[in-house]
Amino acid sequence: MITLNHYLLAGGLLFATGFAGVLLRRNILVIFMCLEMMLGAANLSLVAFSRFGANAAVPDYNAQVLVFFIITVAAAEVAVGLAIIVALYRLRQTTHVEDINLLKF
Amino acid sequence: MNPVLFWIFASLMLVFGAMVVLLRNPVGSALSLVVSFLCLAALFVGLDAFFIGIIQVLVYAGAVMVLFLFIIMLLDLKTEQRRKLNLPAFLGGLAVVAAFVALLVRLLSGFEPGTVAASALGQRVDDVRGVGFALFNDFNLPLQVVGALVLVATVGVVVLSKHRLK
């Protein structure tokens, strides 16, 4: 029997994987992909909560609307973020985050 | 959802998610992420969220990842050269992630889903109708705000992509 805990654990582990990628990888594109993975993990938790809500006969659609908004905002974020990465690459010819240290004191 | 299907898709999702982090070639990372997102969509379908599952496939696994691959090809990225590891930063990152996983396991072990868990529905799910109803009635203003956000993002991308800002 698959319970809410299983879904939350799967979502949490996916989030941890993305988190590890953001912290450990040095390629800005891979870091960005890992951010998307973290958003997907949050979506999995939300959908699981919507399904295993108090009224088990019908899923709670408010949570799914929130997931819809998250996906929309994430798509906009990807477009803007990739445009910034391309502009950065034009300027510095690198996607390695340790080469982009102008703001470092 | 059938437990066997859950375990298959959850483990595939986590394995390909780990491959995104582990592979050194960005193209491999992006393709692994596509598979991971497809398995995530399968989990959504198993949770009776058909609409969200389809959006996940169309928007994430389709549009967003094609955009990623397009940018990787455009920048002509090669496999990363192995650089000197920043050991304190690496160990610190690992420690933070380990602490996060430990916290997650501790939290979930004290969390009793009990009888809340529902078995797979036998009845029809009016999924799109429910989401659409909530979206256009209760969340009408947020929907329009998100529409404005997407417009702003489009304009922002065009401005960012111009070669020289006047």
Side-chain angles (χ1 to χ4, degrees), chain B residues 24-140:
Chain B
R24 303 200 71 78
N25 191 340
V27 179
S29 290
L31 291 178
S32 305
L33 194 56
V34 172
V35 179
S36 185
F37 277 158
L38 286 176
C39 295
L40 189 58
L43 287 183
F44 286 161
V45 169
L47 283 166
D48 296 326
F50 302 101
F51 178 59
I52 298 297
I54 288 172
I55 290 193
Q56 174 82 17
V57 172
L58 285 183
V59 175
Y60 261 123
V64 165
M65 293 321 295
V66 166
L67 202 57
F68 263 107
L69 281 171
F70 192 71
I71 295 298
I72 291 171
M73 306 289 177
L74 184 74
L75 300 186
D76 195 20
L77 294 182
K78 301 287 187 298
T79 303
E80 259 174 78
Q81 260 81 50
R82 208 169 270 279
R83 296 205 184 190
K84 193 166 70 66
L85 197 64
N86 186 351
L87 199 63
F90 188 79
L91 290 181
L94 274 187
V96 171
V97 172
F100 179 83
V101 173
L103 191 66
L104 180 80
V105 169
R106 180 146 178 256
L107 195 69
L108 285 182
S109 62
F111 188 75
E112 288 286 338
T115 53
V116 186
S119 56
L121 282 182
Q123 69 205 58
R124 228 173 88 218
V125 187
D126 280 341
D127 178 57
V128 180
R129 186 172 172 277
V131 174
F133 200 77
L135 200 58
F136 288 105
N137 283 291
D138 304 341
F139 299 96
N140 204 333

